[in-house]
Amino acid sequence: QWPYCRKRCSYCNFNKYVVPAVDEAAVRACLVREARTLLHLSQVQRWVLGEVSGWGGAGPFGTCLQPPHPLPYSVTSVFFGGGTPSLASPRTIAAVLEAVAGAAHLPAGAEVTLEANPGSAGTPRLAGFREAGVNRLSIGVQSLDDAELRLLGREHTAAEARGAVEAARGLFPGRTSIDLLFGLPGQSRDAWTWGLEAALGLCDDHVSLYQLTLERGTALAAQVWGGALPVPPQDLLADMYQTARAVLVAAGFRHYEVSNFARKGALSTHNLSYWRAEQYIGVGPGAHGRFVPWGEGGRSREARVQTLEPDAWMREVQSRGHGTRRRVVLSPLEQLEEVLALGLRTDEGITHERWGQFSPHLSLEAVFGVPGEAKDLQQQGWLVLDGGGLRCSWEGLALLDSLLPDLLCQLQHR
Amino acid sequence: MALAGRTAAWWARLRSPCPAAAPLCLPSWLPAGPVACERLYSSRGKEKLDMLMYPVESIRNFSIIAHVDHGKSTLADRLLEITGTIAKTDRNKQVLDKLQVERERGITVKAQSASIFYNHEGVNYLLNLIDTPGHVDFSYEVSRSLSACQGVILVVDANEGIQAQTVANFYLAFEAQLAIIPVINKIDLKNADPERVEKQIEKLFDIPIDECVRISAKQGTNVEKVLQKVIEKIPPPQCNTADPLKALVFDSTFDHYRGVIANIALFGGEIEKGHKIVSAHTKKRYEVNEVGILTPNEQPTHKLYAGQVGYLIAGMKEVTEAQIGDTLFLYKHPVEPLPGFKSAKPMVFAGMYPVDQTEYNNLKSALERLTLNDSSVTVHRDSSLALGAGWRLGFLGLLHMEVFNQRLEQEYNMSVILTAPTVPYKAILSSAKLIKEYGKAEITIINPAQFPDKLSVSEYLEPTVLGTIVTPHEYIGKIITLCQDRRAVQKDMLYIDERRVMLKYLFPLNEIVVDFYDALKSLSSGYASFDYEDAGYQAADLIKMDILLNGNPVEELSTIIHNDKAYATGKFLCERLKDAIPRQLFEIAIQAAIGKKIIARETLKAYRKNVVAKCYGGDITRRMKLLKRQAEGKKLMRKIGNVEVPRDAFIHVLKRQTDK
């Protein structure tokens, strides 16, 4: 996780820091050290390391691990998130990737994604990242309308965003993703349809569409809740979402997760591993991880969080090799709850096989195929349980958060 | 309606020692002067007092009555101080008000008594100060306190002048034919205008100006003169020690160690330990364990004699055995019971439920203990599908209800859900079948679920009150409009001086139970005062309104209301419910209905999108917590048809609404 940004966006409540000068060498050394420590803890060299999610805008960097497997394991993907990881130098990216490769097996084809902001994504810079080992870019376009970008507090213009995407597509053809936001205060249905069309004309094979979430503590939320900006009506948001789904599917995209669309198989390996509840290591300030710390004799999956504040995190890494602030052992039920809540976000849902890995004794049918809430939801057409597993219907996916409490209730009663 | 903190008065006495009461335990109440008295207490209070020292002629029984904050408790403090009943310290504030709630709100809830020894012109007098609660909710308590008195001190604030409660209290004393000593307090204040107040008293109460005593209870100015007036103007009780025992129970409290402690006034004869006594009301027989006076703590005496006021402990186990107004007499020497016995009549009902059903038993025991000291609260078990098991409680008024709730919280650490208050309606049945079923033609309805259909009823009745409002004249217009909105009928309007008006209105009680007082206070910038008294029942066009969710009635939201108010109330409830119920997977019709007729409707649309946009590594823990809380919440949902309603939605709709 690269926790630094040049500017605070009006809607963002991530763990990010806007500081005048970053001692990049020190941060780099700490990221490298923490990556080594945690990879050792997870004993990923004995199996597959999922990913390093990393520096985006201002956040952690992580690695995804796969569950124990008879074959030599390896890291399946690395993701630099943030913050704004494209503000870090390619050298830092390279150093972290070298550390990962040194501590675990990092196959040549493993997905290595970097989140980039249009303001720090010129062709030379992007080429440097490619040189360092990055093979996929996720660009925070957010909007192709200058007024909307100003409202969001973004530091780039629509033209700059276009430039960045074109540059990225040149360097990472078929492996460039764009992020778009909808549901901005005052945004009309037409404005969104136009924005979507414009984005379709620009994008590569992967699009992430996020409904703007007003987060407490952000400038935008304060303006909306204070009455200075209008609250987007629920029904308009639903319309915008359904419009986008229809338009993108018509353009050949697969709607493979609530907010993610891909064509030509360009799904994000890294993010899929989150939703499939695989193992991952979080490196950097505020990074989250989920893995079994075999290296220190652990046998249970743990939820781990690294220290939020960068300076404190660095001190901890320097003194004890990692900045893990909190570790919580997840009970078998809690693991299943996560499998359910995350897996149902994808179009494939939860396969019988995956469920079986977490619940060897109680099948999906045994939990959700019996009379109860889940059965009702299936009859109402929101949910499907069949040979492929448990998943949301097309209509049900948009209502997942209304389905989950019922499903969790039913799971807890088993 | 949240009665402002300063607005009240109430009841209850804590028997447990409390720090504030500690100085009262010492015999420092001895008169400093006359040596003659000293020998009575030579053993520093350990030896019992001989009350024979105080024959009927030297006894004065009186109360202080006043509008709230006019200085009743301060005057009581000063009277106790200057007579040496309590030590003179600057901590003597509301000495007789022992409850936390009394001190916080500056009100008196439970009447307390204190016997004062005072030497005037060489004669030792026994002055029994019988404290009264100040608010109309407790007028029943006021009247029973007054029944033990021969006179009252009527305190009026020199700045605020006569207020609504002053009027109500005056008439209580006047009707009881008591001597009235008008006292104008707070003359030390900058804006004090005692002349104006004297004129008001003369105009309204027909008391000559020269009979008013101007004092400052806070500074002690002229308080001595009040004592002299008490001796001169209030007659001694008319009774005889040679007569058979006749004791009026005018209050009672419960002590966990000693059982019921009854406050008594002797209208004849004498009483002492070992006497066998009988209750005229219950016919039960008891043996007296202890008698004594209150100074203001209990001070055992050998005997009590005719005309005296004190306490009695006689093995009574429950406060209901010492009913207020009951007469006690000697076994085998029955007497004609004293008049005035009546049970307290609850005027306001509300459902009370534990916030968490697992707290039911704790709340039950807290209620039992609290009602031991307050027999005016009626308790019926009740249950609601939404709120679980609970009770329907009857209170004397809203303040009584608030105070009761506050005491539950403060003294028993109980947090409760209190539903919107309702009033006891009546129905005159016309259906022979129902009359047979109830065993009578007139029934009282305290729960909407029991509301009989119009077809089997010849007439519905609603309780009314006569409200007194005293206000500066500039607010009259707004107040009249407010009263008309509340279906009130003007009965009287009188300028008590050139700037102040007294209005009398007949109100349907249900129109004032919720928020009338707040509305009045807010439109008069706090200057208008209000008080009310029971005015019987009147015929009313009442209907039962149901609230439906997708056609299914929500039993706990049924209400009995006046036909004229149905539309507005129905609309309001539907809107409120719409805000309180979360969107669901299907559309929900929220309707208010009278019989089969729908009078208001709100539609809660179905969710079309409800899924969080981003869910990656960092968000999962927080996300899972939220989901699990929602899953937990599901278990507490009340299902009405297929609609899931969170329990707090009902609380939101049912609880008293201050922002209506």
Side-chain angles (χ1 to χ4, degrees):
Chain A
Q1 192 93 347
W2 179 263
Y4 303 106
C5 286
R6 269 206 296 252
K7 180 173 188 291
R8 227 172 267 279
C9 298
S10 65
Y11 58 92
C12 176
N13 75 334
F14 284 1
N15 179 44
K16 62 186 181 296
Y17 300 85
V18 178
V19 293
V22 176
D23 181 357
E24 185 164 349
V27 178
R28 178 193 308 134
C30 288
L31 286 170
V32 165
R33 178 141 184 230
E34 188 173 52
R36 283 196 183 122
T37 309
L38 296 179
L39 283 166
H40 175 73
L41 263 187
S42 71
Q43 301 238 320
V44 78
Q45 60 270 37
R46 289 175 46 227
W47 23 284
V48 184
L49 175 66
E51 65 166 315
V52 178
S53 102
W55 313 15
F61 128 107
T63 25
C64 250
L65 319 170
Q66 281 189 350
H69 197 274
L71 296 169
Y73 292 98
S74 60
V75 173
T76 53
S77 64
V78 180
F79 194 99
F80 292 88
T84 312
S86 56
L87 290 176
S89 69
R91 213 185 128 196
T92 297
I93 303 299
V96 172
L97 288 173
E98 277 159 26
V100 172
H105 177 51
L106 181 61
E111 180 185 286
V112 179
T113 308
L114 177 87
E115 282 191 339
N117 269 356
S120 50
T123 303
R125 203 171 168 77
L126 293 183
F129 288 127
R130 190 175 67 169
E131 202 65 26
V134 171
N135 55 25
R136 185 172 178 274
L137 269 196
S138 171
I139 302 182
V141 171
Q142 316 308 2
S143 168
L144 290 169
D145 178 277
D146 284 340
E148 288 181 0
L149 288 169
R150 278 195 297 276
L151 178 69
L152 294 169
R154 301 291 293 180
E155 58 168 5
H156 62 85
T157 62
E160 283 166 334
R162 286 175 187 281
V165 175
E166 275 153 20
R169 290 186 66 180
L171 287 163
F172 304 94
R175 296 182 73 96
T176 297
S177 174
I178 62 169
D179 281 2
L180 287 177
L181 281 174
F182 70 94
L184 279 56
Q187 189 181 36
S188 70
R189 202 172 316 230
D190 287 348
W192 169 235
T193 311
W194 176 88
L196 198 60
E197 293 296 342
L200 261 182
L202 177 69
C203 73
D204 196 12
D205 295 331
H206 192 280
V207 178
S208 299
L209 290 182
Y210 299 111
Q211 179 183 314
L212 177 73
T213 310
L214 293 172
E215 300 284 358
R216 205 184 316 182
T218 63
L220 198 63
Q223 282 175 285
V224 173
W225 294 335
L229 288 171
V231 181
Q234 286 280 336
D235 286 333
L236 176 61
L237 294 173
D239 284 347
M240 286 177 166
Y241 185 60
Q242 300 298 0
T243 303
R245 289 177 89 182
V247 167
L248 284 165
V249 168
F253 283 85
R254 170 177 157 195
H255 186 191
Y256 75 99
E257 192 264 352
V258 171
S259 300
N260 286 279
F261 299 81
R263 61 184 166 195
K264 300 177 197 163
L267 285 67
S268 163
T269 310
H270 186 82
N271 288 336
L272 265 180
S273 61
Y274 283 134
W275 301 317
R276 289 173 174 166
E278 285 168 8
Q279 298 197 69
Y280 52 94
I281 286 171
V283 177
H288 285 245
R290 291 278 190 286
F291 64 91
V292 183
W294 297 101
E296 51 180 33
R299 291 292 176 273
S300 307
R301 186 176 165 102
E302 291 185 3
R304 288 174 165 242
V305 191
Q306 310 308 104
T307 294
L308 283 173
E309 202 279 315
D311 292 341
W313 169 79
M314 278 202 274
R315 282 195 297 277
E316 287 166 30
V317 175
Q318 282 156 2
S319 67
R320 53 186 173 112
H322 64 86
T324 302
R325 178 52 66 97
R326 212 159 63 94
R327 342 177 358 187
V328 180
V329 172
L330 296 170
S331 71
L333 177 63
E334 285 171 317
Q335 293 182 35
L336 283 176
E337 287 169 345
E338 288 196 359
V339 167
L340 196 63
L342 295 168
L344 289 178
R345 295 181 64 85
T346 63
D347 64 345
E348 67 182 15
I350 302 148
T351 61
H352 294 287
E353 186 198 354
R354 183 162 312 284
W355 183 263
Q357 285 167 10
F358 288 88
S359 172
H361 306 301
L362 207 56
S363 68
L364 274 175
E365 281 97 351
V367 181
F368 302 112
V370 297
E373 291 94 333
K375 200 88 186 164
D376 295 344
L377 295 173
Q378 289 167 52
Q379 275 159 9
Q380 285 154 26
W382 311 120
L383 203 62
V384 180
L385 175 61
D386 61 13
L390 181 72
R391 62 187 178 277
C392 289
S393 67
W394 174 262
E395 295 77 19
L397 188 66
L399 295 163
L400 178 59
D401 291 357
S402 290
L403 313 181
L404 282 173
D406 274 337
L407 297 177
L408 291 176
C409 268
Q410 191 162 350
L411 176 61
Q412 284 161 8
H413 289 149
R414 294 302 300 176
Chain B
M1 150 173 167
L3 280 153
R6 56 194 291 285
T7 319
W10 73 38
W11 81 100
R13 169 179 326 180
L14 285 179
R15 292 283 167 176
S16 56
C18 69
L24 311 181
C25 302
L26 301 168
S28 51
W29 45 270
L30 287 179
V35 185
C37 286
E38 203 121 292
R39 117 189 105 81
L40 292 174
Y41 321 110
S42 53
S43 61
R44 307 291 287 166
K46 279 179 195 156
E47 197 164 285
K48 285 180 179 174
L49 292 168
D50 182 0
M51 296 304 289
L52 197 55
M53 293 285 298
Y54 297 96
V56 166
E57 307 81 67
S58 67
I59 296 171
R60 300 291 181 272
N61 296 325
F62 69 102
S63 282
I64 308 176
I65 55 179
H67 188 75
V68 90
D69 263 5
H70 280 197
K72 180 170 71 91
S73 295
T74 313
L75 177 58
D77 291 348
R78 278 309 89 71
L79 291 177
L80 299 188
E81 262 177 31
I82 64 167
T83 56
T85 308
I86 57 171
K88 187 168 182 174
T89 74
D90 50 10
R91 280 172 301 161
N92 288 336
K93 284 184 179 151
Q94 290 183 262
V95 167
L96 297 180
D97 295 338
K98 293 182 183 175
L99 296 175
Q100 186 184 348
V101 64
E102 291 182 315
R103 289 166 177 273
E104 278 178 12
R105 295 192 180 208
I107 60 174
T108 303
V109 171
K110 181 109 184 146
Q112 283 274 77
S113 295
S115 293
I116 300 169
F117 303 94
Y118 183 65
N119 186 287
H120 179 61
E121 292 174 352
V123 182
N124 285 323
Y125 286 94
L126 171 63
L127 310 180
N128 295 307
L129 165 55
I130 294 156
D131 200 5
T132 60
H135 190 268
V136 63
D137 274 9
F138 308 106
S139 67
Y140 173 69
E141 300 229 354
V142 175
S143 61
R144 77 197 194 197
S145 296
L146 295 185
S147 64
C149 299
Q150 285 75 47
V152 295
I153 300 172
L154 177 68
V155 179
V156 187
D157 184 305
N159 178 20
E160 292 190 358
I162 289 179
Q163 295 292 320
Q165 266 173 264
T166 321
V167 179
N169 282 325
F170 169 82
Y171 282 107
L172 280 176
F174 186 75
E175 281 159 18
Q177 298 183 320
L178 305 183
I180 296 169
I181 301 167
V183 163
I184 297 169
N185 189 22
K186 306 195 191 181
I187 55 166
D188 56 307
L189 290 184
K190 210 169 71 185
N191 295 323
D193 189 354
E195 283 89 33
R196 184 169 67 89
V197 179
E198 281 169 0
K199 281 183 201 147
Q200 289 177 351
I201 289 173
E202 184 176 41
K203 177 159 188 182
L204 215 52
F205 303 148
D206 207 16
I207 298 175
I209 285 171
D210 58 11
E211 288 189 20
C212 294
V213 189
R214 296 183 186 185
I215 68 160
S216 163
K218 192 173 157 204
Q219 300 182 342
T221 318
N222 262 348
V223 172
E224 196 85 35
K225 195 167 172 195
V226 174
L227 280 176
Q228 290 160 19
K229 283 269 188 185
V230 165
I231 290 165
E232 288 162 14
K233 304 215 57 172
I234 297 177
Q238 298 293 314
C239 51
N240 199 327
T241 303
D243 289 345
L245 172 69
K246 189 189 250 192
L248 169 74
V249 178
F250 66 89
D251 198 2
S252 66
T253 49
F254 182 79
D255 182 287
H256 282 281
Y257 303 102
R258 298 190 289 176
V260 173
I261 300 172
N263 286 12
I264 54 170
L266 266 66
F267 283 75
E270 54 182 62
I271 192 165
E272 66 181 309
K273 183 176 176 175
H275 275 173
K276 299 240 181 348
I277 55 166
V278 178
S279 147
H281 177 61
T282 66
K283 310 283 185 261
K284 281 192 188 165
R285 187 152 51 116
Y286 304 93
E287 183 173 326
V288 177
N289 298 328
E290 183 179 323
V291 293
I293 58 168
L294 296 156
T295 64
N297 286 7
E298 287 131 31
Q299 177 87 16
T301 60
H302 289 293
K303 287 187 178 185
L304 287 175
Y305 299 94
Q308 297 179 350
V309 170
Y311 70 92
L312 162 143
I313 300 172
M316 295 173 179
K317 299 274 189 305
E318 291 175 23
V319 268
T320 49
E321 292 178 72
Q323 291 257 27
I324 310 307
D326 195 1
T327 302
L328 304 175
F329 56 84
L330 277 181
Y331 181 53
K332 289 188 174 164
H333 294 87
V335 296
E336 180 73 13
L338 291 153
F341 177 88
K342 59 170 182 175
S343 295
K345 188 172 61 173
M347 295 295 276
V348 173
F349 291 84
M352 181 176 274
Y353 298 88
V355 170
D356 179 345
Q357 277 293 321
T358 59
E359 288 286 301
Y360 179 86
N361 283 324
N362 291 339
L363 180 56
K364 185 174 172 224
S365 93
L367 274 178
E368 278 166 1
R369 277 180 287 163
L370 200 48
T371 48
L372 274 180
N373 253 343
D374 186 1
S375 54
S376 53
V377 177
T378 62
V379 181
H380 298 285
R381 280 181 53 189
D382 199 0
S383 70
S384 149
L385 289 166
L387 306 174
W391 299 267
R392 192 143 194 97
L393 305 184
F395 302 96
L396 299 173
L398 266 193
L399 177 74
H400 187 196
M401 178 170 96
E402 287 216 350
V403 162
F404 189 86
N405 192 24
Q406 195 176 340
R407 290 191 65 196
L408 267 181
E409 283 177 12
Q410 288 178 343
E411 294 166 33
Y412 296 94
N413 196 25
M414 296 303 305
S415 182
V416 300
I417 297 160
L418 209 51
T419 66
T422 58
V423 301
Y425 293 106
K426 287 183 177 178
I428 312 287
L429 301 172
S430 59
S431 140
K433 185 169 159 268
L434 277 184
I435 294 173
K436 199 175 166 195
E437 201 178 305
Y438 284 100
K440 55 191 172 185
E442 184 182 296
I443 59 165
T444 301
I445 311 145
I446 60 168
N447 191 330
Q450 303 153 349
F451 192 73
D453 191 85
K454 200 164 191 166
L455 293 172
S456 44
V457 167
S458 60
E459 193 172 39
Y460 295 109
L461 302 170
E462 66 178 341
T464 62
V465 292
L466 185 64
T468 301
I469 299 166
V470 175
T471 176
H473 60 81
E474 58 264 40
Y475 303 113
I476 290 180
K478 286 188 201 167
I479 290 174
I480 288 176
T481 309
L482 173 70
C483 292
Q484 281 167 352
D485 283 350
R486 304 303 179 110
R487 300 192 284 127
V489 178
Q490 197 181 85
K491 292 288 177 193
D492 195 6
M493 178 161 147
L494 174 72
Y495 273 78
I496 58 176
D497 61 24
E498 57 281 9
R499 280 176 286 147
R500 282 182 182 272
V501 185
M502 181 179 76
L503 298 158
K504 290 212 181 230
Y505 273 91
L506 186 69
F507 287 92
L509 178 61
N510 83 314
E511 294 289 340
I512 61 162
V513 288
V514 176
D515 57 357
F516 177 79
Y517 186 80
D518 282 348
L520 180 72
K521 278 285 171 192
S522 99
L523 65 75
S524 66
S525 309
Y527 285 112
S529 62
F530 178 66
D531 212 335
Y532 63 86
E533 59 191 276
D534 183 10
Y537 276 76
Q538 71 181 12
D541 186 5
L542 300 176
I543 46 167
K544 180 181 162 192
M545 184 173 70
D546 291 312
I547 299 293
L548 313 173
L549 292 181
N550 280 353
N552 299 300
V554 187
E555 192 192 301
E556 47 274 63
L557 292 181
S558 293
T559 42
I560 300 169
I561 47 169
H562 197 268
N563 204 357
D564 293 352
K565 299 274 176 142
Y567 181 78
T569 310
K571 190 165 177 293
F572 173 79
L573 281 178
C574 288
E575 283 168 3
R576 193 120 182 169
L577 207 51
K578 186 184 174 188
D579 291 341
I581 300 177
R583 276 190 176 206
Q584 296 178 25
L585 293 169
F586 42 83
E587 185 173 292
I588 300 167
I590 303 166
Q591 297 166 309
I594 297 166
K596 290 197 160 41
K597 189 176 151 211
I598 304 296
I599 56 164
R601 174 184 171 129
E602 291 287 328
T603 304
L604 186 62
K605 285 199 194 162
Y607 256 133
R608 290 178 49 219
K609 177 175 190 293
N610 180 31
V611 61
V612 73
K614 275 198 178 189
C615 198
Y616 299 106
D619 308 313
I620 294 172
T621 305
R622 197 171 55 150
R623 181 89 203 112
M624 291 312 299
K625 267 190 193 154
L626 180 70
L627 283 171
K628 280 198 266 191
R629 207 163 52 230
Q630 288 172 350
E632 279 300 308
K634 284 256 170 194
K635 295 174 192 160
L636 299 174
M637 296 263 190
R638 160 108 154 87
K639 267 206 147 183
I640 294 158
N642 56 350
V643 182
E644 283 176 333
V645 185
R647 211 181 54 162
D648 58 7
F650 288 107
I651 297 167
H652 184 68
V653 175
L654 288 174
K655 77 176 181 195
R656 294 178 304 130
Q657 291 135 15
T658 48
D659 54 339
K660 191 169 170 180

